[in-house]
Amino acid sequence: QVQLVESGGGSVQAGGSLRLSCAAYIYYGYTYDSYCMGWFRQAPGKEREGVASIEPDSTTTYADSVKGRFTISQDNAKNTLYLQMNSLKPEDTAIYYCAADLPPFKGWVGWKYWGQGTQVTVSS
């Protein structure tokens, strides 16, 4: 069982930066560094989309819309996932969710564990 808790959302002007954090609480089974971890987002009226992921071997995958602006990272000693978001745009406004699942990486579908989400609002 894995519990994920996001933090770090907020409001920022276009061009600004935010860093999201996701603390993972693992109650039994595999250790944190065994999991694929990911960030997703859902904007009002739109479907949820994958933003970035990191696999146990540190392989990262990014959505085209955030490449070069967002960076996913993690601190295995702290069981914490991060998303550094730079050069934010109004279209980045969404609820951002942290997710986890065991390998292999399956793309943006079928992730097993989800956080509650944190709101990111980017104003023009």
Side-chain angles (χ1 to χ4, degrees):
Q1 184 70 19
V2 178
Q3 182 182 7
L4 303 171
V5 180
E6 303 95 336
S7 61
S11 297
V12 64
Q13 289 193 328
S17 298
L18 282 174
R19 189 177 82 154
L20 306 183
S21 298
C22 171
Y25 301 91
I26 300 173
Y27 296 100
Y28 59 85
Y30 298 92
T31 56
Y32 172 83
D33 58 7
S34 300
Y35 286 86
C36 295
M37 301 296 296
W39 288 101
F40 293 73
R41 67 186 181 186
Q42 187 167 18
K46 294 188 177 181
E47 293 189 354
R48 187 171 58 196
E49 62 176 355
V51 174
S53 69
I54 185 166
E55 299 173 49
D57 65 358
S58 299
T59 298
T60 56
T61 303
Y62 293 93
D64 288 343
S65 59
V66 306
K67 281 181 181 177
R69 300 189 297 122
F70 291 10
T71 303
I72 189 170
S73 63
Q74 61 187 353
D75 185 336
N76 289 339
K78 296 182 178 180
N79 287 11
T80 301
L81 179 72
Y82 303 100
L83 184 68
Q84 178 66 44
M85 305 186 293
N86 298 329
S87 302
L88 283 161
K89 305 176 181 179
E91 51 264 44
D92 295 318
T93 295
I95 299 174
Y96 283 71
Y97 298 90
C98 174
D101 203 350
L102 291 170
F105 176 62
K106 299 176 284 293
W108 305 121
V109 296
W111 289 64
K112 185 172 183 179
Y113 300 105
W114 293 88
Q116 294 299 308
T118 185
Q119 176 71 46
V120 171
T121 303
V122 184
S123 58
S124 57

